[in-house]
Structure formats: structure tokens, C-alpha cells
Amino acid sequence: MNPDLNGKVSIVTGSTSGIGLAVANALAAAGSNIVINGLGSAEENEPVRKQVADDHGVNCIFVGANLIKPEGPAELVQAAVDEFGGIDILVNNAGMQYVAPVEEFPPEKWDAIIALNLSAAFHGMAKALPIMRERGWGRIISTASAHSLVASPYKAAYVSAKHGLYGLTKTIALECAADGVTVNCISPGYVWTPLVEEQIPDTMKARSLTRDEVINDVLLSAQPTKQFVTVEEVAGTVLYLCSDTARNVTGANMVLDGGWTAQ
């Protein structure tokens, strides 16, 4: 799908690397101006900002809003309004993970994961939706996870947040169904990113496994295809949801999990 997004304005959270950066590049390649967001200072993220702008001939700004705080998403939307005059596409991608048994789960980790993975999406939608309604067109897309549909042990906060994100998606989709705004989420299984790749050597050592055993028997144990989802596949799904072909796709959970949740 190659939608014409010339003149559109997109916010992509958690977009200085991995899935978010692939999505930002895909939207920019389709012509959209971009607001990127992530950890680190503007100076540290200048190479990424410059790459998105220069590679695709669009305007791109970095806004280092802290999305764990309720005012963070509002800061992002306001930056888009100030710089570009509005917002057309909001991609809620920022997230974090922590793994521990529930009785050992630090309350501060629970609060942070719920704030970033779920509440930030709510606050961003609440600020962006009135602008999209006024324009008569908008796309809100959230990166959920296979864990929006199934659970795994020791991931209480992450699974709760992703289940909640799917529920939030359906609710807001119904609220703006007649306004030209669609609201969907994408639920990948394990995605091949540098962060995942960096975990392999430590897992090999800790479990006395080969690289192939870690990939097939640990990371991809739940995915029948035994293939990682790629960031390009997620970005391509975002482009589809932004296209006119998908104008009646709303409240949906687009699952890219190699058959994980079919089991």
C-alpha cells in the first residue's frame, strides 16, 4: 500500500529506533511530515531526525516529551499544531516491559508500564481526536502485541496494558466512527529488532543453548511460522490503515504473529 500522505502530519511515539523508526520512515516516504519522539536529547537524536527528513524530503521535528507523565502526549500534539498546523495521524508506539512474578513485581514498574503502554495512548487520543474531527479525516494506530489477546506468566503489567489498549481502541473507534477518523491497533508477535538480537548471546550463555536453539525454542516458541515479524511488515500495515482502502477498517486488531494466537 502506498497512500498519498502529502501534506499530512504524523506523530509517532517511540520512534527513534526499531518499529517506531520504521513507521516514521514509511509515513515520511508517503509524503507525511513527521513528529518523532523518544528517549534522549534533541542533540542525541538529531542524526535520526535528519535521516528521516533528508531521505524523504519532508519536514521532521523531534520532541522529547516524557510520555509517562499525562502532559507528555499533549506536548507532542501541541508541537505538531505549532510546527505544522495540526495532526492527521497518531501512532502510539512507545512502550516498555518488565518481567517478574506478581508478588515480586515492583509497584513503580507497574505504574510506569501502565502509564507508558496504555495511559499515554489515551491522553494522546484525547488531544488529537478533536483536531482530526475538525479536519474530517484522521488515523489513530496503536502498537499493541500478541499479548493484547493472550497472556504469558510474569508479565502482569504488560499484558494488562496491551489488553487495555485493545479495549481503548475499540471504544474510541465507536466514538468517532462517523467523523472520518479510524482507530485501530496492530498486534505483532516477536519482532526482529536490535534489542531482541542483543538478548541472544546472554540467553545462549544462561541456558547453555546454541543461537538457533535460542531463536527457535525460546524466542519463537509460540510462533508456528518460526519467523520473526519484521519492522517493515508492521510499517506496511500502518500504511495500509492510512490508505483509502482501509477507510472502513476501524476498531480492528491487526494481528501479525505468525499464528501465535491461532493456537
Side-chain angles (χ1 to χ4, degrees):
M1 286 294 167
N2 293 296
D4 180 2
L5 301 180
N6 284 301
K8 301 294 188 186
V9 179
S10 301
I11 293 174
V12 186
T13 69
S15 49
T16 55
S17 64
I19 292 172
L21 180 55
V23 169
N25 273 304
L27 292 170
S32 177
N33 295 314
I34 305 290
V35 178
I36 61 170
N37 157 265
L39 299 175
S41 67
E43 183 179 4
E44 290 169 328
N45 287 290
E46 175 58 17
V48 176
R49 186 211 64 77
K50 189 174 187 301
Q51 174 267 304
V52 173
D54 291 353
D55 284 2
H56 308 293
V58 300
N59 293 317
C60 177
I61 63 171
F62 170 82
V63 181
N66 183 352
L67 301 186
I68 289 179
K69 297 181 177 180
E71 60 269 24
E75 183 182 337
L76 276 178
V77 174
Q78 189 60 52
V81 171
D82 292 343
E83 184 73 19
F84 301 119
I87 174 176
D88 303 286
I89 298 165
L90 171 63
V91 181
N92 298 302
N93 175 71
M96 62 185 295
Q97 173 66 286
Y98 188 84
V99 179
V102 66
E103 67 273 18
E104 300 172 12
F105 212 100
E108 64 272 17
K109 291 293 186 182
W110 169 274
D111 291 342
I113 290 170
I114 296 298
L116 183 59
N117 294 21
L118 178 58
S119 297
F122 163 79
H123 292 300
M125 291 179 189
K127 293 298 182 182
L129 187 55
I131 301 170
M132 294 178 178
R133 277 196 173 116
E134 186 176 339
R135 294 184 165 205
W137 192 95
R139 298 290 186 266
I140 298 174
I141 302 163
S142 300
T143 303
S145 162
H147 282 116
S148 70
L149 297 168
V150 296
S152 294
Y154 314 122
K155 299 180 179 180
Y158 188 82
V159 172
S160 297
K162 295 303 185 180
H163 271 64
L165 189 57
Y166 183 23
L168 177 65
T169 293
K170 292 191 288 186
T171 300
I172 308 307
L174 294 176
E175 291 185 13
C176 60
D179 301 322
V181 181
T182 66
V183 187
N184 296 287
C185 61
I186 300 173
S187 287
Y190 274 99
V191 180
W192 184 254
T193 63
L195 184 62
V196 169
E197 187 174 11
E198 289 166 8
Q199 295 173 9
I200 292 175
D202 288 342
T203 306
M204 289 170 61
K205 182 177 179 180
R207 301 199 184 194
S208 298
L209 298 174
T210 66
R211 177 181 173 85
D212 286 345
E213 286 171 337
V214 170
I215 290 173
N216 291 311
D217 301 336
V218 179
L219 296 176
L220 296 179
S221 62
Q223 293 183 202
T225 60
K226 298 301 180 184
Q227 294 179 345
F228 285 99
V229 180
T230 68
V231 294
E232 291 79 12
E233 289 166 350
V234 179
T237 306
V238 170
L239 288 182
Y240 164 69
L241 291 172
C242 291
S243 71
D244 289 340
T245 304
R247 66 187 180 90
N248 275 308
V249 180
T250 195
N253 192 345
M254 308 293 286
V255 180
L256 309 175
D257 68 356
W260 181 348
T261 58
Q263 300 176 90

